[in-house]
Amino acid sequence: MDEKEKENIKERNEICSRTLKTGSRTYFFDARETRAGDYYLTITESKKNFTETGEITYKKHKIYLYKEDFSKFQNILDDMIRFIINEKGREVISERHQKDFKNHTFNQEIKDVQKKTSEMKNFTNINFENL
């Protein structure tokens, strides 16, 4: 298969696309065409990650959704969204989701544990024979 044929297949396969960017994640919604000429939906989550060397990598997860499953999928998705909103409201509860979040509480907990560990080490180094 030459490059022109590959490009034609790619063009035929990609019918319509929408993108949703949210922080370190990007969601791609793509209507695609099967070989038989029918359409289906792919939903791709792409998450930006950093390696130990600082190199940027992307981890992707893809869902293929076919027309025969649209109604059931939509019903369950709607039910789950309603459930979550009814239980917890629309407000984002976790401050971790805010762009300027700095985990002071977690950092303080680490410092407290380190201090207690140090105190425990000092306590266990006491020579009880001198008491």
Side-chain angles (χ1 to χ4, degrees), residues 6-81:
K6 287 181 185 178
E7 190 62 34
N8 287 339
I9 289 172
K10 185 177 178 184
E11 285 177 15
R12 183 189 73 207
N13 197 339
E14 296 174 4
I15 305 303
C16 177
S17 295
R18 297 279 308 269
T19 303
L20 171 64
K21 294 183 180 187
T22 61
S24 65
R25 289 185 171 95
T26 302
Y27 298 94
F28 300 94
F29 299 83
D30 299 306
R32 297 183 178 270
E33 184 177 22
T34 66
R35 289 182 187 168
D38 206 357
Y39 291 172
Y40 64 98
L41 174 66
T42 61
I43 303 170
T44 306
E45 175 200 42
S46 178
K47 184 174 181 188
K48 186 187 290 187
N49 293 307
F50 296 93
T51 65
E52 291 178 8
T53 61
E55 182 182 345
I56 297 173
T57 61
Y58 294 91
K59 189 172 185 179
K60 293 183 179 184
H61 297 93
K62 190 172 277 202
I63 296 172
Y64 294 85
L65 189 60
Y66 296 91
K67 288 189 329 188
E68 61 267 23
D69 302 321
F70 283 1
S71 180
K72 292 175 187 174
F73 187 92
Q74 184 175 11
N75 289 340
I76 293 172
L77 180 61
D78 290 342
D79 287 346
M80 295 306 295
I81 290 171

Coordinates of all heavy atoms in Angstrom, one line a residue, residues 6-81:
K6 N -2.7 5.0 1.9 CA -2.8 5.2 3.4 C -3.5 6.5 3.8 O -4.3 6.5 4.7 CB -1.4 5.1 4.0 CG -0.8 3.8 4.0 CD 0.6 3.8 4.6 CE 1.3 2.5 4.5 NZ 2.7 2.5 5.0
E7 N -3.2 7.6 3.1 CA -3.8 8.9 3.4 C -5.3 8.8 3.1 O -6.1 9.4 3.9 CB -3.1 10.0 2.6 CG -3.5 11.4 3.0 CD -3.2 11.7 4.5 OE1 -2.1 11.2 5.0 OE2 -3.9 12.4 5.1
N8 N -5.7 8.2 2.0 CA -7.1 8.1 1.7 C -7.9 7.3 2.8 O -9.0 7.6 3.2 CB -7.3 7.4 0.4 CG -7.0 8.3 -0.8 OD1 -7.0 9.5 -0.6 ND2 -6.7 7.7 -1.9
I9 N -7.3 6.2 3.3 CA -7.9 5.4 4.4 C -8.0 6.3 5.6 O -9.0 6.3 6.3 CB -7.1 4.1 4.6 CG1 -7.3 3.2 3.4 CG2 -7.5 3.5 5.9 CD1 -6.4 1.9 3.5
K10 N -7.0 7.0 5.9 CA -7.0 7.8 7.1 C -8.1 8.9 7.0 O -8.8 9.1 7.9 CB -5.6 8.5 7.3 CG -5.5 9.3 8.6 CD -4.1 9.9 8.8 CE -4.1 10.7 10.0 NZ -2.8 11.3 10.2
E11 N -8.2 9.6 5.9 CA -9.2 10.6 5.7 C -10.6 10.0 5.8 O -11.5 10.6 6.3 CB -9.0 11.3 4.3 CG -7.8 12.2 4.3 CD -7.6 12.8 2.9 OE1 -8.5 12.7 2.0 OE2 -6.5 13.4 2.6
R12 N -10.8 8.8 5.2 CA -12.1 8.2 5.2 C -12.5 7.8 6.7 O -13.6 7.9 7.1 CB -12.1 6.9 4.3 CG -13.5 6.3 4.3 CD -13.5 4.9 3.6 NE -12.8 4.0 4.5 CZ -12.1 2.9 4.1 NH1 -12.0 2.7 2.9 NH2 -11.6 2.1 5.0
N13 N -11.5 7.3 7.4 CA -11.7 6.8 8.7 C -12.0 8.0 9.7 O -12.8 7.8 10.6 CB -10.5 6.1 9.2 CG -10.7 5.2 10.4 OD1 -11.7 5.4 11.1 ND2 -9.9 4.2 10.6
E14 N -11.4 9.1 9.6 CA -11.7 10.3 10.5 C -12.8 11.2 9.9 O -12.5 11.9 8.9 CB -10.4 11.0 10.7 CG -9.3 10.2 11.4 CD -8.0 11.0 11.5 OE1 -7.9 12.1 11.1 OE2 -7.0 10.3 12.0
I15 N -13.9 11.1 10.5 CA -15.1 11.9 10.0 C -15.2 13.2 10.7 O -15.4 14.3 10.0 CB -16.4 11.1 10.1 CG1 -16.2 9.7 9.4 CG2 -17.6 11.8 9.6 CD1 -15.9 9.7 8.0
C16 N -15.2 13.2 12.0 CA -15.4 14.4 12.8 C -14.7 14.3 14.1 O -14.7 13.2 14.7 CB -16.9 14.6 13.0 SG -17.4 16.0 14.1
S17 N -14.1 15.3 14.6 CA -13.3 15.3 15.8 C -13.6 16.5 16.7 O -13.8 17.6 16.2 CB -11.8 15.2 15.6 OG -11.4 14.1 14.9
R18 N -13.6 16.2 18.0 CA -13.7 17.3 19.0 C -12.7 17.0 20.1 O -12.4 15.8 20.4 CB -15.1 17.3 19.7 CG -16.3 17.6 18.8 CD -16.5 19.1 18.5 NE -16.5 19.9 19.7 CZ -17.6 20.2 20.3 NH1 -18.8 19.7 20.0 NH2 -17.6 21.0 21.4
T19 N -12.1 18.0 20.7 CA -11.1 17.9 21.7 C -11.5 18.6 23.0 O -12.1 19.7 22.9 CB -9.8 18.5 21.2 OG1 -9.4 17.8 20.0 CG2 -8.7 18.3 22.2
L20 N -11.2 18.0 24.1 CA -11.5 18.6 25.4 C -10.2 18.6 26.2 O -9.7 17.5 26.5 CB -12.6 17.9 26.2 CG -12.8 18.3 27.6 CD1 -13.3 19.7 27.7 CD2 -13.9 17.3 28.3
K21 N -9.6 19.8 26.5 CA -8.4 19.8 27.3 C -8.7 20.2 28.8 O -9.4 21.2 29.0 CB -7.4 20.9 26.7 CG -6.9 20.5 25.4 CD -5.9 21.5 24.8 CE -5.5 21.0 23.4 NZ -4.4 21.8 22.9
T22 N -8.2 19.4 29.7 CA -8.5 19.6 31.1 C -7.2 19.4 31.9 O -6.9 18.2 32.2 CB -9.6 18.7 31.7 OG1 -9.2 17.4 31.5 CG2 -10.9 18.9 30.9
G23 N -6.4 20.4 32.2 CA -5.2 20.2 33.0 C -4.2 19.3 32.3 O -3.8 19.6 31.1
S24 N -3.8 18.2 32.9 CA -2.8 17.4 32.3 C -3.4 16.3 31.4 O -2.7 15.5 30.8 CB -2.0 16.7 33.3 OG -2.8 15.8 34.1
R25 N -4.7 16.3 31.2 CA -5.4 15.4 30.4 C -6.1 16.1 29.2 O -6.6 17.2 29.3 CB -6.5 14.7 31.2 CG -6.0 13.7 32.2 CD -7.2 13.0 32.9 NE -6.7 11.9 33.7 CZ -6.5 12.0 35.0 NH1 -6.7 13.2 35.6 NH2 -6.0 11.0 35.7
T26 N -6.1 15.3 28.1 CA -6.8 15.8 26.9 C -7.7 14.6 26.4 O -7.2 13.5 26.4 CB -5.9 16.2 25.8 OG1 -5.0 17.2 26.2 CG2 -6.6 16.7 24.5
Y27 N -8.9 14.9 26.1 CA -9.9 13.9 25.6 C -10.2 14.2 24.2 O -10.5 15.3 23.8 CB -11.2 13.9 26.4 CG -11.0 13.6 27.9 CD1 -10.8 14.6 28.8 CD2 -10.9 12.3 28.3 CE1 -10.6 14.4 30.2 CE2 -10.7 12.0 29.7 CZ -10.5 13.0 30.6 OH -10.3 12.8 31.9
F28 N -10.1 13.1 23.4 CA -10.4 13.3 21.9 C -11.6 12.4 21.7 O -11.7 11.3 22.0 CB -9.2 12.7 21.1 CG -7.9 13.4 21.3 CD1 -7.0 13.0 22.2 CD2 -7.7 14.6 20.6 CE1 -5.8 13.7 22.4 CE2 -6.5 15.3 20.8 CZ -5.5 14.8 21.7
F29 N -12.6 13.1 21.0 CA -13.9 12.4 20.6 C -13.8 12.4 19.1 O -13.9 13.4 18.5 CB -15.1 13.1 21.1 CG -15.2 13.3 22.6 CD1 -14.5 14.2 23.3 CD2 -15.9 12.4 23.3 CE1 -14.5 14.3 24.7 CE2 -16.0 12.4 24.7 CZ -15.3 13.4 25.4
D30 N -13.7 11.2 18.5 CA -13.6 11.1 17.1 C -14.7 10.1 16.5 O -14.8 9.0 16.9 CB -12.2 10.5 16.7 CG -11.1 11.3 17.2 OD1 -11.1 12.5 16.8 OD2 -10.2 10.8 17.9
A31 N -15.4 10.7 15.5 CA -16.3 9.9 14.7 C -15.5 9.3 13.6 O -14.8 10.0 12.9 CB -17.5 10.7 14.2
R32 N -15.6 8.0 13.5 CA -14.8 7.3 12.5 C -15.7 6.4 11.6 O -16.8 6.1 12.0 CB -13.7 6.4 13.2 CG -12.7 7.3 13.9 CD -11.6 6.4 14.5 NE -10.6 7.2 15.2 CZ -9.5 7.8 14.7 NH1 -9.3 7.6 13.4 NH2 -8.7 8.5 15.4
E33 N -15.1 5.9 10.5 CA -15.9 5.1 9.6 C -15.3 3.7 9.5 O -14.1 3.6 9.4 CB -15.9 5.8 8.2 CG -16.7 5.1 7.2 CD -16.8 5.8 5.9 OE1 -15.8 6.6 5.6 OE2 -17.7 5.6 5.1
T34 N -16.2 2.7 9.5 CA -15.8 1.4 9.4 C -15.6 1.1 7.9 O -15.9 1.9 7.0 CB -16.9 0.4 9.9 OG1 -18.0 0.5 9.1 CG2 -17.2 0.7 11.4
R35 N -15.0 -0.1 7.6 CA -14.8 -0.5 6.2 C -16.1 -0.6 5.5 O -16.2 -0.4 4.3 CB -14.0 -1.8 6.1 CG -12.6 -1.7 6.5 CD -11.9 -3.0 6.4 NE -10.6 -2.9 7.0 CZ -9.8 -3.9 7.2 NH1 -10.2 -5.1 6.9 NH2 -8.6 -3.7 7.7
A36 N -17.2 -0.9 6.2 CA -18.5 -1.1 5.6 C -19.2 0.2 5.4 O -20.3 0.3 4.8 CB -19.3 -2.0 6.5
G37 N -18.6 1.3 5.9 CA -19.2 2.6 5.7 C -20.0 3.2 6.8 O -20.6 4.2 6.7
D38 N -20.1 2.4 7.9 CA -20.9 2.9 9.1 C -20.0 3.7 10.0 O -18.7 3.7 9.8 CB -21.4 1.7 9.8 CG -22.7 2.0 10.6 OD1 -23.1 3.2 10.6 OD2 -23.3 1.1 11.2
Y39 N -20.5 4.4 10.9 CA -19.8 5.3 11.8 C -19.7 4.6 13.2 O -20.6 3.9 13.6 CB -20.3 6.7 11.9 CG -20.2 7.5 10.7 CD1 -20.9 8.7 10.6 CD2 -19.5 7.1 9.6 CE1 -20.8 9.5 9.5 CE2 -19.4 7.9 8.5 CZ -20.0 9.1 8.4 OH -19.9 9.9 7.3
Y40 N -18.7 5.0 13.9 CA -18.5 4.6 15.4 C -17.7 5.7 16.0 O -17.2 6.6 15.4 CB -17.8 3.2 15.5 CG -16.4 3.2 15.0 CD1 -15.3 3.3 15.9 CD2 -16.1 3.0 13.7 CE1 -14.0 3.3 15.5 CE2 -14.8 2.9 13.3 CZ -13.8 3.1 14.2 OH -12.5 3.0 13.7
L41 N -17.7 5.7 17.4 CA -17.1 6.7 18.1 C -15.8 6.1 18.9 O -15.9 5.1 19.4 CB -18.1 7.3 19.2 CG -17.5 8.3 20.2 CD1 -17.1 9.6 19.5 CD2 -18.6 8.5 21.3
T42 N -14.7 6.9 18.9 CA -13.6 6.6 19.7 C -13.5 7.7 20.7 O -13.6 8.9 20.3 CB -12.3 6.3 19.0 OG1 -11.9 7.5 18.3 CG2 -12.4 5.2 18.0
I43 N -13.2 7.4 22.0 CA -12.9 8.4 23.0 C -11.5 8.0 23.5 O -11.3 6.9 24.0 CB -13.9 8.3 24.2 CG1 -15.4 8.5 23.6 CG2 -13.6 9.4 25.2 CD1 -16.5 8.2 24.7
T44 N -10.6 9.0 23.4 CA -9.2 8.7 23.8 C -8.9 9.7 24.9 O -9.1 10.9 24.8 CB -8.3 9.0 22.6 OG1 -8.7 8.1 21.5 CG2 -6.9 8.6 23.0
E45 N -8.4 9.2 26.0 CA -7.8 10.0 27.1 C -6.3 10.0 26.9 O -5.7 8.9 26.8 CB -8.2 9.5 28.4 CG -7.5 10.2 29.6 CD -7.5 9.5 30.9 OE1 -7.1 8.3 30.8 OE2 -7.7 10.1 31.9
S46 N -5.7 11.2 26.8 CA -4.3 11.3 26.7 C -3.8 12.1 27.9 O -4.2 13.2 28.2 CB -3.9 12.0 25.4 OG -2.5 12.2 25.4
K47 N -2.9 11.5 28.7 CA -2.5 12.1 30.0 C -1.0 12.4 29.9 O -0.2 11.5 29.5 CB -2.7 11.2 31.2 CG -2.3 11.9 32.5 CD -2.8 11.1 33.7 CE -2.4 11.9 34.9 NZ -2.5 11.1 36.1
K48 N -0.6 13.6 30.1 CA 0.8 14.0 30.1 C 1.5 13.5 31.3 O 1.0 13.7 32.4 CB 0.9 15.5 30.0 CG 2.4 16.0 29.8 CD 2.5 17.5 29.9 CE 1.8 18.2 28.7 NZ 2.1 19.7 28.7
N49 N 2.7 12.9 31.1 CA 3.5 12.4 32.3 C 4.9 12.9 32.0 O 5.3 13.2 30.9 CB 3.5 10.9 32.3 CG 2.2 10.3 32.7 OD1 1.6 10.7 33.7 ND2 1.7 9.4 31.9
F50 N 5.7 12.9 33.1 CA 7.1 13.3 33.0 C 7.9 12.2 33.6 O 7.6 11.6 34.6 CB 7.3 14.6 33.9 CG 6.6 15.8 33.3 CD1 5.3 16.1 33.8 CD2 7.1 16.6 32.4 CE1 4.6 17.2 33.4 CE2 6.5 17.7 31.9 CZ 5.2 18.0 32.4
T51 N 9.0 11.8 32.8 CA 9.9 10.8 33.3 C 10.8 11.4 34.4 O 10.8 12.6 34.6 CB 10.7 10.2 32.1 OG1 11.6 11.3 31.6 CG2 9.8 9.7 31.0
E52 N 11.6 10.5 35.0 CA 12.6 11.0 36.0 C 13.6 12.0 35.4 O 14.1 12.9 36.1 CB 13.3 9.8 36.6 CG 12.4 8.9 37.4 CD 13.2 7.7 38.0 OE1 14.4 7.7 37.8 OE2 12.5 6.9 38.6
T53 N 13.8 11.9 34.1 CA 14.8 12.9 33.5 C 14.1 14.1 33.0 O 14.7 15.0 32.4 CB 15.5 12.2 32.3 OG1 14.5 11.8 31.3 CG2 16.3 11.0 32.7
G54 N 12.7 14.2 33.2 CA 12.0 15.4 32.8 C 11.4 15.3 31.4 O 10.8 16.3 30.9
E55 N 11.6 14.2 30.7 CA 11.1 14.0 29.4 C 9.5 13.9 29.5 O 9.0 13.2 30.3 CB 11.7 12.8 28.7 CG 11.2 12.5 27.3 CD 11.8 11.2 26.8 OE1 12.8 10.7 27.3 OE2 11.3 10.8 25.7
I56 N 8.8 14.5 28.5 CA 7.4 14.4 28.5 C 7.0 13.2 27.7 O 7.4 12.9 26.6 CB 6.8 15.7 27.8 CG1 7.1 16.9 28.7 CG2 5.3 15.5 27.7 CD1 6.7 18.2 28.0
T57 N 6.1 12.4 28.3 CA 5.5 11.3 27.6 C 4.0 11.4 27.8 O 3.4 12.1 28.6 CB 5.9 9.9 28.3 OG1 5.5 9.9 29.6 CG2 7.4 9.8 28.2
Y58 N 3.3 10.6 26.9 CA 1.8 10.7 27.0 C 1.3 9.2 27.1 O 1.7 8.3 26.3 CB 1.2 11.3 25.7 CG 1.5 12.8 25.6 CD1 2.7 13.2 24.9 CD2 0.7 13.7 26.2 CE1 3.0 14.5 24.8 CE2 1.0 15.1 26.1 CZ 2.2 15.5 25.4 OH 2.5 16.8 25.3
K59 N 0.4 9.0 28.1 CA -0.2 7.7 28.2 C -1.6 7.8 27.7 O -2.4 8.7 28.1 CB -0.2 7.3 29.7 CG -0.6 5.9 30.0 CD -0.4 5.6 31.5 CE -0.7 4.1 31.7 NZ -0.5 3.8 33.1
K60 N -2.0 6.9 26.8 CA -3.3 7.0 26.2 C -4.2 5.8 26.5 O -3.7 4.6 26.5 CB -3.1 7.1 24.6 CG -2.5 8.4 24.2 CD -2.4 8.5 22.7 CE -1.7 9.8 22.4 NZ -1.7 10.1 20.9
H61 N -5.4 6.0 26.7 CA -6.4 5.0 26.8 C -7.6 5.3 25.8 O -8.0 6.4 25.7 CB -7.0 5.0 28.2 CG -6.0 4.7 29.3 ND1 -5.3 5.7 29.9 CD2 -5.6 3.5 29.8 CE1 -4.5 5.1 30.8 NE2 -4.6 3.8 30.7
K62 N -8.0 4.2 25.1 CA -9.0 4.5 24.1 C -10.2 3.5 24.3 O -10.1 2.4 24.7 CB -8.4 4.2 22.7 CG -9.3 4.6 21.6 CD -8.5 4.4 20.3 CE -7.7 5.7 20.1 NZ -7.3 5.9 18.7
I63 N -11.4 4.1 24.1 CA -12.7 3.4 24.1 C -13.3 3.4 22.7 O -13.3 4.5 22.1 CB -13.6 4.0 25.1 CG1 -13.1 3.9 26.5 CG2 -15.0 3.3 25.0 CD1 -14.0 4.7 27.5
Y64 N -13.7 2.3 22.2 CA -14.4 2.2 20.9 C -15.9 2.0 21.3 O -16.2 1.0 22.0 CB -13.9 1.0 20.1 CG -12.5 1.2 19.6 CD1 -11.4 0.8 20.5 CD2 -12.2 1.8 18.4 CE1 -10.1 1.0 20.1 CE2 -10.9 1.9 18.0 CZ -9.8 1.5 18.8 OH -8.5 1.7 18.4
L65 N -16.7 2.9 20.7 CA -18.2 2.8 21.0 C -18.9 2.7 19.7 O -18.8 3.6 18.9 CB -18.6 4.0 21.9 CG -20.0 4.0 22.4 CD1 -20.2 2.8 23.4 CD2 -20.2 5.3 23.2
Y66 N -19.7 1.6 19.6 CA -20.4 1.4 18.3 C -21.9 1.7 18.5 O -22.4 1.7 19.6 CB -20.2 -0.1 17.9 CG -18.8 -0.4 17.6 CD1 -17.9 -0.9 18.6 CD2 -18.2 -0.1 16.3 CE1 -16.6 -1.1 18.3 CE2 -16.9 -0.3 16.0 CZ -16.1 -0.8 17.0 OH -14.7 -1.0 16.8
K67 N -22.5 2.1 17.4 CA -23.9 2.6 17.4 C -24.9 1.7 18.2 O -25.7 2.2 18.8 CB -24.4 2.8 16.0 CG -23.8 4.0 15.3 CD -24.4 4.4 14.0 CE -25.0 3.4 13.1 NZ -25.4 3.8 11.8
E68 N -24.7 0.4 18.1 CA -25.6 -0.5 18.7 C -25.5 -0.4 20.3 O -26.5 -0.8 21.0 CB -25.4 -2.0 18.3 CG -24.1 -2.5 18.6 CD -23.1 -2.4 17.5 OE1 -23.3 -1.5 16.6 OE2 -22.1 -3.2 17.5
D69 N -24.5 0.2 20.8 CA -24.3 0.4 22.2 C -24.5 1.9 22.7 O -24.5 2.1 23.9 CB -22.9 0.0 22.6 CG -22.6 -1.5 22.3 OD1 -23.5 -2.3 22.4 OD2 -21.5 -1.8 21.9
F70 N -24.8 2.8 21.8 CA -24.9 4.2 22.1 C -26.0 4.4 23.2 O -25.7 5.1 24.2 CB -25.3 5.0 20.9 CG -24.1 5.4 20.0 CD1 -22.9 4.9 20.2 CD2 -24.4 6.1 18.8 CE1 -21.8 5.2 19.3 CE2 -23.4 6.4 18.0 CZ -22.1 6.0 18.2
S71 N -27.2 3.9 23.0 CA -28.3 4.2 23.9 C -28.0 3.7 25.3 O -28.2 4.4 26.3 CB -29.6 3.5 23.3 OG -30.6 3.8 24.2
K72 N -27.5 2.4 25.4 CA -27.2 1.9 26.7 C -26.1 2.6 27.4 O -26.1 2.9 28.6 CB -26.8 0.4 26.6 CG -28.0 -0.5 26.2 CD -27.5 -1.9 26.0 CE -28.6 -2.8 25.4 NZ -28.1 -4.1 25.1
F73 N -25.0 3.0 26.6 CA -23.9 3.7 27.2 C -24.4 5.1 27.7 O -24.0 5.5 28.8 CB -22.8 3.9 26.1 CG -21.6 4.5 26.5 CD1 -20.5 3.7 26.9 CD2 -21.4 5.9 26.5 CE1 -19.3 4.2 27.3 CE2 -20.2 6.4 26.9 CZ -19.1 5.6 27.3
Q74 N -25.1 5.8 26.9 CA -25.6 7.1 27.2 C -26.5 7.0 28.5 O -26.4 7.9 29.4 CB -26.4 7.7 26.1 CG -26.8 9.2 26.4 CD -27.5 9.8 25.2 OE1 -27.8 9.2 24.2 NE2 -27.7 11.1 25.3
N75 N -27.4 6.0 28.6 CA -28.2 5.9 29.7 C -27.4 5.7 31.0 O -27.7 6.3 32.0 CB -29.2 4.7 29.6 CG -30.3 5.0 28.5 OD1 -30.6 6.1 28.2 ND2 -30.9 3.9 28.0
I76 N -26.4 4.8 31.0 CA -25.6 4.6 32.1 C -24.8 5.8 32.5 O -24.6 6.2 33.7 CB -24.7 3.3 31.9 CG1 -25.6 2.0 31.9 CG2 -23.7 3.2 33.1 CD1 -24.9 0.8 31.5
L77 N -24.2 6.4 31.5 CA -23.4 7.6 31.7 C -24.3 8.7 32.4 O -23.9 9.3 33.4 CB -22.8 8.1 30.4 CG -21.9 9.4 30.5 CD1 -20.7 9.2 31.4 CD2 -21.5 9.8 29.1
D78 N -25.5 8.9 31.8 CA -26.4 9.9 32.4 C -26.7 9.6 33.9 O -26.7 10.4 34.7 CB -27.7 10.0 31.6 CG -27.5 10.7 30.2 OD1 -26.4 11.4 30.0 OD2 -28.3 10.5 29.4
D79 N -27.0 8.3 34.1 CA -27.4 7.8 35.5 C -26.2 8.1 36.4 O -26.4 8.5 37.5 CB -27.7 6.3 35.5 CG -29.1 6.0 34.9 OD1 -29.9 7.0 34.7 OD2 -29.3 4.8 34.6
M80 N -25.0 7.8 36.0 CA -23.8 7.9 36.9 C -23.5 9.4 37.2 O -23.2 9.8 38.3 CB -22.6 7.2 36.3 CG -22.7 5.7 36.2 SD -23.2 4.9 37.7 CE -21.7 5.2 38.7
I81 N -23.7 10.3 36.1 CA -23.5 11.7 36.3 C -24.5 12.2 37.3 O -24.2 13.0 38.2 CB -23.5 12.4 35.0 CG1 -22.3 12.1 34.2 CG2 -23.7 13.9 35.2 CD1 -22.3 12.6 32.7

